[in-house]
Amino acid sequence: MSATLESTPRRDGFRMPAEFEPHQGTWMLWPVRTDTWRLGAKPAQDAFVEVALAISEFEPVTIGVSSIQYEHVRSIFPSRIRIIEMSSNDAWMRDIGPTFVKNGVGDVRGVDWGFNAWGGLNGGLYFPWDQDLLVKQKVLEIENKDRYDSQSFILEGGAIQVDGEGTLITTEQCLLNPNRNPDMSREEVEERLHEYLSVEKIIWLKDGLRYDETDGHVDEVAAFVRPGVVAMSWTDDPADPQYELLCNAFDLLSSATDAKGRKLEVHKIHIPDPLTISDEEARLIDRARRSYNRATGTRFAASYVNFYICNGGVIIPAFGDRYDAITYHQLSGLFPDRKVVQVNTREIALGGGNIHCITQQQPKQG
Ligand code: KQY
């Protein structure tokens, strides 16, 4: 049974665990939207398959698919991957899946945030998003996890990073954007995060990456490796439009202390050389009036820190870029106890996100 609770996680002694804490498993969705994904979504599906198979070497994976695709998707995957029928408007489980919270004796519950497709009718990426909005509740019902209803507050999972010990990193560009929670002050936003995630310290970066269609999700900029240690996107090129905002983020992070009073150790992970949508790619994306404009030559956000940490592994992006190998070695050093697996994710990046954006961890019960 999954009940909707009147209380809040903080009052009940629940907190959001870090991604590097043990997982019960990983949730994903199946991409089909032809105004996000080119060529009928087939190349993106191949990349999603690779990501799901990589994660499934480390922990159970569940993929939600539409009824029309169910039979096909079931036939692609080995039986260790669970395929369930679930409607959605696109496939970004990080943003439309529940945020799981856990208490001191290992009980797990979920937070159901509001969602408006990254900005609603004021810069949002598609319309409607009615099916996306139901995904959190469906996941919690399937897993028999009680639900905290915070739908009055718009929040995407990619807009926050936590260390599980009371620290949260986010960006002003996203959380204070008038297209998310226009009637809330910074203090009210902080209070909501405090109450529903049990965080004590919020580190506000100013901006996310340029060309990020989500209005600056932090998961393209920074990720906790473990408490006190952060990996962040970086460029050495002062001519790159990402340079200034990344310098600003570096200064903020490296001078910040976390909820436990530790000074953060910040590791720079160089972004790939600028990536743009090719003419062939643009021609194969369907046009829709309310969709993001994926025109030829448009630069898209690409970052290696949009990785996903799972039990014993880290699944990291590759872009066919000179920094792929350098990043592999750097992240292998930062995660000495996990196996780093690299997947070429250009097709996912073309849709506006990466491995972190298409996955959602469910913490281990107990
Ligand atoms: O979590 C993310 N950064 C999601 C990206 C969503 C892109 C929608 N086209």
Side-chain angles (χ1 to χ4, degrees):
M1 269 271 292
S2 164
T4 294
L5 306 163
E6 295 299 327
S7 180
T8 69
R10 164 174 292 276
R11 269 187 260 151
D12 294 344
F14 283 72
R15 61 157 186 121
M16 180 183 176
E19 198 172 302
F20 46 73
E21 293 182 48
H23 297 180
Q24 195 77 31
T26 299
W27 286 83
M28 294 177 67
L29 291 159
W30 185 247
V32 289
R33 239 195 123 89
T34 54
D35 57 342
T36 300
W37 311 106
R38 72 185 185 101
L39 201 55
K42 288 296 168 198
Q45 289 172 0
D46 287 346
F48 273 59
V49 168
E50 252 197 273
V51 169
L53 289 175
I55 299 170
S56 73
E57 294 292 329
F58 300 98
E59 63 186 50
V61 175
T62 303
I63 305 178
V65 306
S66 69
S67 57
I68 297 169
Q69 286 275 296
Y70 176 81
E71 204 176 359
H72 166 62
V73 179
R74 180 62 282 169
S75 75
I76 295 175
F77 286 102
S79 59
R80 70 173 186 275
I81 294 187
R82 177 169 66 159
I83 309 296
I84 56 158
E85 190 180 317
M86 187 177 289
S87 308
S88 61
N89 300 102
D90 203 352
W92 305 98
M93 195 51 120
R94 175 64 47 191
D95 293 344
I96 65 174
T99 300
F100 288 97
V101 289
K102 187 169 173 174
N103 69 6
V105 293
D107 298 326
V108 172
R109 296 177 177 169
V111 181
D112 187 344
W113 312 104
F115 176 76
N116 69 356
W118 307 275
L121 299 184
N122 173 16
L125 300 177
Y126 49 71
F127 177 87
W129 52 85
D130 57 327
Q131 295 305 309
D132 285 347
L133 203 45
L134 299 173
V135 167
K136 299 179 185 82
Q137 190 163 9
K138 290 179 182 175
V139 168
L140 296 173
E141 289 267 1
I142 290 168
E143 290 297 309
N144 288 322
K145 301 295 180 220
D146 290 341
R147 161 181 178 264
Y148 292 101
D149 182 356
S150 184
Q151 286 229 348
S152 59
F153 179 64
I154 303 285
L155 183 78
E156 302 104 40
I160 53 168
Q161 294 280 26
V162 300
D163 68 354
E165 298 192 354
T167 316
L168 180 146
I169 309 176
T170 189
T171 68
E172 293 177 357
Q173 186 196 353
C174 185
L175 257 65
L176 303 184
N177 198 303
N179 67 12
R180 298 307 209 277
N181 298 288
D183 300 326
M184 288 174 85
S185 65
R186 176 195 295 256
E187 290 68 35
E188 287 167 329
V189 168
E190 289 195 343
E191 184 50 32
R192 184 68 74 120
L193 298 170
H194 184 67
E195 208 47 48
Y196 282 80
L197 300 172
S198 291
V199 290
E200 316 296 337
K201 171 85 187 257
I202 297 176
I203 300 173
W204 288 94
L205 304 182
K206 206 165 153 356
D207 296 300
L209 286 189
R210 250 184 106 177
Y211 316 109
D212 175 359
E213 55 195 74
T214 66
D215 301 313
H217 272 188
V218 71
D219 68 353
E220 296 277 13
V221 179
F224 280 104
V225 168
R226 55 186 163 273
V229 182
V230 172
M232 73 158 280
S233 292
W234 181 251
T235 176
D236 290 328
D237 180 4
D240 190 320
Q242 311 283 19
Y243 183 75
E244 219 170 292
L245 68 93
L246 290 175
C247 286
N248 190 286
F250 180 77
D251 290 346
L252 275 162
L253 285 173
S254 50
S255 60
T257 48
D258 66 13
K260 298 265 188 249
R262 288 174 291 233
K263 209 162 154 15
L264 293 178
E265 181 184 315
V266 185
H267 295 265
K268 293 175 174 172
I269 311 288
H270 207 288
I271 55 174
D273 288 330
L275 295 171
T276 56
I277 305 179
S278 72
D279 191 39
E280 194 199 334
E281 287 165 342
R283 277 190 302 107
L284 298 170
I285 297 169
D286 289 353
R287 302 291 151 146
R289 201 155 45 98
R290 289 219 178 267
S291 293
Y292 186 70
N293 183 13
R294 296 176 203 284
T296 306
T298 306
R299 183 168 171 184
F300 52 95
S303 150
Y304 294 100
V305 305
N306 202 284
F307 52 65
Y308 180 62
I309 307 171
C310 47
N311 296 339
V314 190
I315 318 303
I316 71 168
F319 301 96
D321 186 87
R322 63 186 167 130
Y323 286 105
D324 288 357
I326 297 169
T327 305
Y328 176 84
H329 291 296
Q330 235 184 321
L331 290 176
S332 299
L334 281 177
F335 290 102
D337 302 329
R338 295 176 197 263
K339 185 172 175 208
V340 175
V341 180
Q342 200 159 30
V343 176
N344 191 311
T345 52
R346 181 184 170 93
E347 294 295 338
I348 304 173
L350 276 171
N354 219 301
I355 300 171
H356 195 253
C357 308
I358 64 167
T359 50
Q360 181 63 250
Q361 69 278 3
Q362 178 175 340
K364 192 169 173 48
Q365 178 85 24

